[in-house]
Amino acid sequence: MKSAYWMYAGPAHIGTLRVASSFKNVHAVMHAPLGDDYLNVMRSMLERERDFTPVTASIADRHVLARGSQEKVANNMNRKDEEQRPDLIVLTPTCTSSTLQEDSQNLVNRALISSMSDVIPADVNHYRVNELQAADRTSEQTVRHYLNKAIEKGALNRSVTNVPSANIIGISTSGFHNQHDCRELKRLLQGSGILINQIIPEGASLKDSKDLPRAWSNTVPHREAGPMTAIFLKKEFGMPYVSITPAGPSDAADFIGRIEGYINAWASVLSEKEKGVDYEPYVVNQTRFVSQAAWFSRTIDCQNPTGKEAVVSGDATHAASITKILVKEMGIRVRRSGTHRRHDTEWFNEQIQGLCDEILVTEDHTEVGDATARVEPSAIFGTQTERHTGKRINIPCGVIPSPVHIQNFPLGYRPLLGYEGANQIADSVHNSFNPGMEDYLSDVSGGHDTKGVVTKLSSNKEDPKRTTESQLELSKIPGFVRSKIKRKTEVFAKQNNISEITIDIMYAARESFSP
Amino acid sequence: MKIFNITFECETGNYHTFCPISCVAWLYQKIEDSFFLVIGTKTCGYFLQNALGVMIFAEPRYAMAELEEGDISAQLNDYEESKKICIQIKQDRNPSVIIWIGTCTTEIIKMDLEGMAVKSEKKLQIPIIVARANGLDYAFTQGEDTVSAAMAHRCPVNKIFRSNDEKYLNDLDSSDRVKDHLQIKEHKHKDHNLVLFGSLPSNVAFQLTSELKRQNICVTGWLPSQRYSDLPSLGDGVHACGVNPFLSRTATILMRRGKCRLIGAPFPIGPDGTRTWIEKICHVFDVRPQGLKEREEQIRNNLSEYTKILGGKSVFSMGDNLLEISLARFLIRCGMIVYEIGIPYLDKRYQAAELSLLKTTCEAMNVLIPRIVEKPDNYNQVQRMHELEPDLAITGMAHANPLEARGIDTKWSVEFTSAQIHGFTNARDALELVTRPLRRNLSGSIPSNWNNPLRQELSYS
C-alpha cells in the first residue's frame, strides 16, 4: 500500500478507453463495478462531446462475484453488437476484473459466437501499466489486429501512394490540446506538399486500416501514445517513422528535415528521374514569417525574461519540449526539469541533457512541490497540480500537459505543435512571467494597491448591526454571493424596522426574496 | 400487502452513477475532526481526484491507500501496511477518528478490514471506523449511508438520560450556546428525545433544528455530528428521523442496534415535504403543529416565479442519487409532469411515507403516477426519452451534453446532492437549479433552430 492524494497518470483502463472511443464506430465494454465508467463524464464534460461516449460498463456486482461474470459480460457485448453494430468491441478490463482473474479471451470467444462485430480483449494489466502505457498498447493492438486480418484476407494494400504521404499516430480523446495539435500537424505536412494518409486513432475508421501501410512514413508527435504502433509498422511493413515532437521552431525544422530524408529515400527508389524534395525554403519561410516565435525571442521585450529562472514538469514529451524551448529559444534558465514517466527516464535524460541544472523523475506530486518551493523560480511550467503549488507559494504557472481541467480544453485554436504552436507557447511563457514594466514599476513605487480605498468609498455607513453568530453565518456563504445576500438582508431589516440582524432574520429575509 | 398502486420496475442496472466512495467529499467537511482513508486502487484515486476537482488541493482530510500488486497477491501484510499509513496520518493530522473506506478490491480479495481496524485501533489509540462503500453493492449517496451506519455503532448508549437541555447544549456549536440556553428553558420537553440522521451543511442543519424548535421540539443530536466527539446518545426512548432518502441502512442500524424508534416521514425537500416531515414528527410527540400551513403557503407564494416556468413542463429523471422520488414529488407539486423516476435502489419501507406522499400529491395535482424504475438501463432510458421528448432530463454528467445536443434540456443530478435543498428556506435553491436550463431557453440566448446541434446535421447544411 502506498499513501497517495494525486496521480499524474490515470489507471490502465482509461488509456484503453481513450483510444477505443477515439476510433470511429468502436465500442468499449468495461467489466467494472458501478461508478467506474468515469471516462464518460470526462469526455462529456471536459471535451464537451456531443455524442454519447461509446463505452458501456457491464456491471460487476455481488451476483457476479458469486456466479462469475461469464454470461453477463458476453451478453452485454452481444447486446451492444445488436444495438449499435460497431466495427469492433473492445473488452476492457479494470482493476476489479484483473483481481477477479477473469479469462478475457474466453469471454471474447463466447461473444464472438453470435456477434457480427469484431471483438478483442484489451491486453493491459491494471497493476503493471498506467493510462499512457495502456493507450499506447491498445492502439498497437487494434492496428495489429486489423492489419493481420487484412493480410489473411489478402486485402492489404502495400503500394505506396503516388505522392509523398504520412500517417499521424497518437491523436486521441482527452489528450492535452490534441485536436488543435492534429490540425496544426496537418497544416505543417500539407504545407510542404505531404498527403495525410490516415490519422489514428482519432476519427479513424478501422475499415480503412488496411491502407495504413500506403503512407511513405509515420509521424508520432507524442511519446505517450503511438510509439508502439509506429514500431510495429516499421517491423512488419518497413515504414520509417519520425518520433520528433515538432514543438518550437527548431524541433519543427528537425521534424520536417527527417521526413524530407525519408521522402527522398523513397523517391530515388520509385523513379530515378525524381529529384527528391527540398523543404529548406519552406522551413525558413515558416520560421521567419509564419511563426513569430523566432522574431519574438529577438525583440527587446524578450530581454526581460532572459536569465530568469523556471522549473518544468509534466509528461515526457511536453516537459522535454518546453525545456528545450525555454532554454534554446528564449534564454530562460531552467533550474529543474522533470517527468512522471518513470519508464521513459532514459529518453528524457537524453533529450534535456545539459539544458537544466537538475532532473527530477518522480510520480509523487509532493516531491515536485517541495523541489519547486526550494528553487523559488520566477515561473513554473507544469500540470494543474503545479499550478496549485504555484498559487500557494505565489509563483505564476503555465499549464503545459495533462492532468488538466476544463479550461485546458479551450474552444479557440491553441496548438502546441508546429509554427502556430510556437506562437502559442511563446505567448504562454511570456504571460507567465510578470510583464517587464509592471515588475519594474511596482518595485520602484513599493506597490500601488488601491483596493482598500475603493472598498471604503462604496461601503454603506448606516448598516444595521449584526450579531456575532450572524456574522459567522455570513462568512459561511460562498464569496461570490456573500455581498449580495448581505445587502438584501440589510434591505429586509430596514424595511421591517429591525435594528439587529440575527441568523433567524437572515433566513427570514432569504425566504421573503422573490425572484 | 399492497399499500400503493404505484408500479415498480427493475431493469438491467447498466447505468451511470458516481462511485459511493465520493461520500468522503462531503463527509470529511461535515465531520471536522475526521480523516478518511480510502483503501483501493488507482481507479478509485483517479475518480476522486477528478470528481472532487478543486477540493483536492485544499489539503483535504482524506487520502488513498493505494493497493499495489503485492497487496493483491498477499505478499505484503495488510495489517502492517495499513498501520504504517495510519501512524503517518496520526502524526501529520492528529484526527479524532479515522474512517476506512472499503472498496471493490478489498471486497474481492476479502481483506478483513473490520478485524484489522480493531487491532489498529488498540495500537494507535484512535477510533477506526470501517465503512464498505464499494461499487459492487452501492451507488453514489449510499456511501454516506454506509458511513453513518458504521458510525451509529459508536454512538454512546445511554439508558438514563441527562436532562435534555443540558445534552442539547452540548450538541450545539459553542457560538449558539449562550443564546439558546434561555430559549430552551422556556420549552423543556422531558419526553422528546429526537435524533436526526443525515449529513447536511451546518447552516441547513441549524435551519431544520430551528423549524422544529418553533414547534417546541428539541433536536437532541445529529448523526453525523459536526465533531466525532459529539455523536448523539442512542437507546430506548430515543426517536430517530431521517432527512435524506438514501439512509435506509442507517435507519435499520438505529432501530436494531440503537434501539431507537424510527419516525417514518417524507423527507424535508420542498415546502410540501418539509411540512409533512414536521407534522409527522409533531404527531409522534403529540404536539399540535402550529402555523405550518401558513408557512408552507407563504413559501409557496414566494416560489411563484419559478412555478410559472415549471407548470405543465415534463421531466424525466434518469436516476443516480436516490433523491429522485422526493424531488419528483416536489416537482409534481410545482405543476410538472414526471414521466419516469429512475432510482438506483428503493427501500420501500424506509421510503414508505415518501411514496405515499407521492401518491397523494399525484392525486391532488390530478396527474398520473410516474413509473418508478429501479436499477435503470441508461441505453433503454435514452430510447424512451427519444419517444417521450421531455422538456427536462435530470441526469448524470455522462449524458448531459449528448442529450443537450439532441435538443433535450438537462439538469445534472449531482448538483442536487451538493446544493442546499432541505427545509422551507432552501426550497428556492432547489427550484433555482431545476429552472436554470429552462430559463436559459426563455431568455432566448440560444437560437431556436439550434436545439439539435448534432455534428452530422450541422455539417454541409
Side-chain angles (χ1 to χ4, degrees):
Chain A
M1 272 181 225
K2 66 175 185 205
S3 165
Y5 294 94
W6 174 265
M7 57 187 97
Y8 285 104
H13 69 262
I14 295 283
T16 295
L17 296 180
R18 272 177 56 185
V19 168
S21 60
S22 294
F23 279 113
K24 214 186 277 170
N25 211 22
V26 170
H27 203 100
V29 172
M30 296 169 75
H31 182 210
L34 206 56
D36 270 6
D37 54 349
Y38 196 72
L39 182 91
N40 298 31
V41 176
M42 295 182 63
R43 237 171 86 101
S44 165
M45 299 307 296
L46 294 180
E47 300 232 68
R48 308 168 185 100
E49 183 56 59
R50 298 172 194 219
D51 277 316
F52 291 104
T53 305
V55 172
T56 305
S58 171
I59 304 292
D61 56 13
R62 283 283 156 189
H63 301 291
V64 167
L65 291 196
R67 281 201 307 246
S69 53
Q70 299 282 323
E71 218 146 307
K72 194 170 183 186
V73 177
N75 285 348
N76 271 317
M77 284 195 279
N78 285 333
R79 195 182 140 194
K80 270 305 130 193
D81 172 50
E82 275 166 32
E83 282 165 0
Q84 290 175 313
R85 287 267 173 261
D87 296 333
L88 171 71
I89 295 175
V90 180
L91 173 61
T92 311
T94 58
C95 56
T96 304
S97 56
S98 289
T99 320
L100 285 169
Q101 301 188 318
E102 295 276 7
D103 179 359
S104 303
Q105 190 57 53
N106 182 32
L107 296 177
V108 165
N109 292 344
R110 288 181 60 145
L112 274 173
I113 296 171
S114 58
S115 175
M116 302 269 285
S117 324
D118 277 320
V119 188
I120 59 169
D123 177 23
V124 293
N125 181 332
H126 184 91
Y127 294 99
R128 304 249 166 104
V129 297
N130 68 19
E131 171 187 353
L132 304 170
Q133 293 159 292
D136 201 8
R137 172 78 183 113
T138 304
S139 162
E140 188 246 19
Q141 202 192 345
T142 316
V143 168
R144 183 191 289 267
H145 181 82
Y146 275 87
L147 286 179
N148 284 343
K149 210 171 137 182
I151 292 172
E152 271 170 38
K153 280 193 193 160
L156 192 71
N157 194 342
R158 303 191 84 142
S159 61
V160 290
T161 51
N162 294 333
V163 287
S165 62
N167 296 321
I168 301 174
I169 299 176
I171 303 293
S172 77
T173 190
S174 303
F176 187 69
H177 292 222
N178 262 207
Q179 308 296 337
H180 311 295
D181 277 353
C182 182
R183 215 167 113 193
E184 185 60 24
L185 216 53
K186 270 157 76 177
R187 216 166 84 168
L188 189 66
L189 293 170
Q190 282 164 348
S192 34
I194 298 166
L195 185 81
I196 308 294
N197 185 47
Q198 279 186 34
I199 298 166
I200 52 172
E202 185 64 43
S205 170
L206 290 168
K207 287 179 181 143
D208 301 334
S209 39
K210 63 178 193 317
D211 291 332
L212 265 178
R214 297 195 68 197
W216 292 32
S217 64
N218 288 318
T219 60
V220 189
H222 301 113
R223 281 193 72 69
E224 280 66 36
M228 281 180 81
T229 314
I231 292 168
F232 161 74
L233 290 171
K234 181 169 187 190
K235 243 168 129 181
E236 295 293 315
F237 303 97
M239 297 176 76
Y241 66 91
V242 188
S243 61
I244 298 168
T245 305
S250 62
D251 277 4
D254 283 354
F255 175 84
I256 302 244
R258 187 71 63 85
I259 292 185
E260 181 190 284
Y262 292 141
I263 290 174
N264 287 339
W266 263 114
S268 61
V269 175
L270 284 178
S271 78
E272 309 225 323
K273 281 176 283 171
E274 200 86 42
K275 276 218 278 317
V277 289
D278 178 14
Y279 290 138
E280 180 81 25
Y282 173 74
V283 168
V284 170
N285 188 49
Q286 292 283 316
T287 311
R288 280 206 180 152
F289 304 111
V290 175
S291 153
Q292 301 293 315
W295 157 238
F296 175 71
S297 56
R298 261 163 201 79
T299 59
I300 50 163
D301 212 21
C302 211
Q303 280 178 9
N304 188 47
T306 305
K308 282 205 175 172
E309 295 182 339
V311 294
V312 180
S313 57
D315 61 36
T317 305
H318 289 98
S321 293
I322 292 288
T323 307
K324 283 190 220 166
I325 291 171
L326 289 175
V327 177
K328 289 187 183 166
E329 322 261 344
M330 305 183 87
I332 288 159
R333 180 167 172 215
V334 175
R335 291 285 304 272
R336 196 204 70 232
S337 181
T339 180
H340 53 84
R341 296 256 302 167
R342 268 207 312 227
H343 53 275
D344 219 3
T345 310
E346 214 171 293
W347 179 87
F348 187 73
N349 286 345
E350 190 189 302
Q351 289 294 307
I352 57 162
Q353 199 68 66
L355 297 181
C356 61
D357 300 358
E358 185 197 341
I359 295 174
L360 178 67
V361 178
T362 177
E363 287 173 344
D364 182 353
H365 79 282
T366 52
E367 210 176 314
V368 177
D370 289 349
T372 305
R374 244 193 343 265
V375 169
E376 282 193 74
S378 310
I380 303 169
F381 299 94
T383 68
Q384 280 290 339
T385 328
E386 279 69 48
R387 188 174 68 80
H388 280 266
T389 311
K391 249 161 85 181
R392 243 194 342 254
I393 55 180
N394 209 8
I395 295 173
C397 177
V399 174
I400 43 156
S402 303
V404 289
H405 288 334
I406 191 158
Q407 64 263 44
N408 301 111
F409 288 89
L411 302 175
Y413 187 47
R414 299 274 165 73
L416 296 169
L417 302 186
Y419 291 102
E420 177 57 28
N423 292 343
Q424 298 289 340
I425 293 173
D427 274 346
S428 147
V429 169
H430 195 236
N431 292 343
S432 298
F433 290 102
N434 280 330
M437 282 307 268
E438 187 178 306
D439 222 13
Y440 173 72
L441 283 178
S442 61
D443 273 355
V444 169
S445 63
H448 41 84
D449 187 4
T450 53
K451 218 173 171 184
V453 183
V454 174
T455 343
K456 220 170 200 176
L457 278 175
S458 58
S459 82
N460 189 343
K461 279 177 202 159
E462 291 171 61
D463 286 348
K465 266 186 265 167
R466 284 180 171 275
T467 61
T468 28
E469 293 87 54
S470 80
Q471 199 77 49
L472 201 71
E473 188 63 26
L474 192 65
S475 68
K476 285 181 199 158
I477 292 165
F480 59 97
V481 286
R482 195 180 300 145
S483 63
K484 197 170 160 195
I485 289 184
K486 182 168 179 268
R487 193 165 41 79
K488 284 199 169 182
T489 316
E490 279 156 12
V491 169
F492 176 83
K494 279 177 192 165
Q495 280 168 355
N496 293 287
N497 284 329
I498 295 162
S499 58
E500 195 182 51
I501 298 174
T502 62
I503 301 188
D504 286 334
I505 300 295
M506 274 179 76
Y507 294 146
R510 194 136 167 259
E511 283 163 21
S512 77
F513 302 158
S514 37
Chain B
M1 186 174 64
K2 198 175 171 191
I3 310 171
F4 317 109
N5 41 10
I6 302 178
T7 51
F8 302 100
E9 289 169 51
C10 186
E11 278 189 302
T12 60
N14 283 351
Y15 65 102
H16 166 79
T17 184
F18 274 9
C19 173
I21 59 172
S22 52
C23 68
V24 305
W26 62 88
L27 287 176
Y28 90 75
Q29 297 191 47
K30 173 71 193 176
I31 310 164
E32 287 168 354
D33 50 355
S34 63
F35 192 98
F36 285 78
L37 183 69
V38 182
I39 305 175
T41 59
K42 242 185 176 18
T43 308
C44 314
Y46 192 68
F47 164 69
L48 278 179
Q49 119 179 9
N50 282 295
L52 306 193
V54 184
M55 280 204 285
I56 201 144
F57 300 105
E59 294 270 321
R61 288 190 317 282
Y62 88 82
M64 281 292 307
E66 193 185 315
L67 299 168
E68 292 163 295
E69 200 164 14
D71 297 298
I72 305 299
S73 52
Q75 282 163 336
L76 297 165
N77 181 312
D78 301 337
Y79 168 65
E80 292 298 332
E81 293 289 309
S82 61
K83 194 178 74 185
K84 243 189 296 178
I85 294 179
C86 287
I87 288 174
Q88 192 64 43
I89 291 169
K90 195 184 172 189
Q91 245 170 36
D92 295 350
R93 306 294 185 95
N94 193 27
S96 312
V97 59
I98 297 178
I99 295 138
W100 286 358
I101 302 288
T103 61
C104 305
T105 313
T106 57
E107 288 297 313
I108 294 169
I109 62 173
K110 301 197 164 49
M111 196 183 272
D112 179 20
L113 294 176
E114 279 85 357
M116 279 154 54
V118 173
K119 265 167 85 182
S120 304
E121 194 168 291
K122 267 196 197 129
K123 182 91 189 159
L124 269 83
Q125 292 296 309
I126 185 172
I128 293 177
I129 292 179
V130 178
R132 301 171 171 219
N134 62 67
L136 293 169
D137 300 311
Y138 305 108
F140 198 7
T141 49
Q142 286 181 290
E144 178 187 322
D145 193 21
T146 63
V147 174
S148 312
M151 218 165 239
H153 287 278
R154 304 297 178 115
C155 290
V157 179
N158 251 358
K159 285 206 172 126
I160 311 140
F161 289 105
R162 288 174 286 166
S163 73
N164 280 334
D165 50 352
E166 189 191 325
K167 246 181 58 55
Y168 175 51
L169 290 177
N170 286 339
D171 290 335
L172 286 172
D173 286 341
S174 54
S175 55
D176 299 324
R177 272 186 201 166
V178 189
K179 186 187 57 156
D180 287 314
H181 203 296
L182 302 167
Q183 290 180 1
I184 257 171
K185 289 226 161 121
E186 288 167 19
H187 44 72
K188 213 192 266 180
H189 281 266
K190 286 233 152 43
D191 311 332
H192 300 176
N193 207 329
L194 176 65
V195 169
L196 299 180
F197 56 96
S199 160
L200 293 177
S202 62
N203 56 328
V204 181
F206 179 86
Q207 286 160 9
L208 289 183
T209 308
S210 50
E211 289 298 348
L212 288 170
K213 207 154 64 184
R214 285 183 197 192
Q215 307 295 338
N216 280 352
I217 291 170
C218 292
V219 176
T220 46
W222 280 83
L223 176 72
S225 45
Q226 199 77 23
R227 300 186 63 79
Y228 176 71
S229 42
D230 293 341
L231 281 180
S233 310
L234 305 176
D236 266 335
V238 175
H239 285 80
C241 189
V243 298
N244 266 324
F246 45 76
L247 298 169
S248 58
R249 274 174 66 88
T250 310
T252 313
I253 296 287
L254 287 176
M255 281 194 296
R256 297 207 178 137
R257 280 213 31 138
K259 307 280 178 240
C260 301
R261 292 181 57 190
L262 192 71
I263 301 176
F267 302 99
I269 291 169
D272 49 339
T274 309
R275 177 185 163 189
T276 324
W277 182 72
I278 297 173
E279 279 174 351
K280 289 269 175 170
I281 295 173
C282 286
H283 178 73
V284 169
F285 291 124
D286 226 4
V287 173
R288 240 182 112 95
Q290 274 161 10
L292 272 185
K293 199 174 161 229
E294 295 74 28
R295 189 145 162 73
E296 192 200 339
E297 260 163 29
Q298 177 215 335
I299 296 287
R300 198 184 295 289
N301 288 338
N302 283 336
L303 298 177
S304 60
E305 286 294 318
Y306 292 118
T307 44
K308 243 183 260 164
I309 301 171
L310 294 178
K313 295 258 168 37
S314 57
V315 60
F316 189 109
S317 180
M318 285 182 84
D320 80 337
N321 57 21
L322 283 88
L323 293 170
E324 290 87 4
I325 293 183
S326 311
L327 212 56
R329 178 259 304 152
F330 175 32
L331 294 180
I332 291 170
R333 176 55 79 179
C334 292
M336 291 191 94
I337 299 150
V338 180
Y339 287 143
E340 176 167 328
I341 307 176
I343 187 166
Y345 166 74
L346 178 61
D347 184 333
K348 286 176 200 145
R349 280 190 303 174
Y350 177 62
Q351 295 226 37
E354 185 61 82
L355 286 168
S356 123
L357 183 60
L358 172 72
K359 188 171 170 252
T360 47
T361 304
C362 288
E363 280 161 8
M365 301 302 290
N366 201 17
V367 292
L368 289 174
I369 296 176
R371 63 195 279 183
I372 296 178
V373 181
E374 225 182 325
K375 284 171 171 281
D377 184 290
N378 281 166
Y379 182 84
N380 295 345
Q381 285 185 313
V382 170
Q383 306 309 312
R384 289 201 285 273
M385 241 185 272
H386 283 321
E387 270 168 38
L388 295 165
E389 293 181 359
D391 294 308
L392 182 72
I394 298 180
T395 170
M397 291 200 257
H399 295 102
N401 274 336
L403 285 173
E404 288 278 354
R406 282 158 184 76
I408 296 173
D409 289 321
T410 59
K411 183 77 236 149
W412 306 335
S413 49
V414 182
E415 281 191 88
F416 293 103
T417 60
S418 56
Q420 306 185 349
I421 57 170
H422 290 76
F424 287 125
T425 316
N426 299 310
R428 302 173 53 81
D429 286 23
L431 292 191
E432 177 79 20
L433 283 183
V434 180
T435 54
R436 197 172 294 158
L438 301 169
R439 277 181 289 138
R440 181 166 75 164
N441 290 357
L442 286 181
S443 66
S445 57
I446 302 168
S448 56
N449 56 347
W450 267 69
N451 62 4
N452 193 353
L454 273 178
R455 255 190 213 130
Q456 54 263 44
E457 297 189 16
L458 274 182
S459 49
Y460 316 114
S461 61

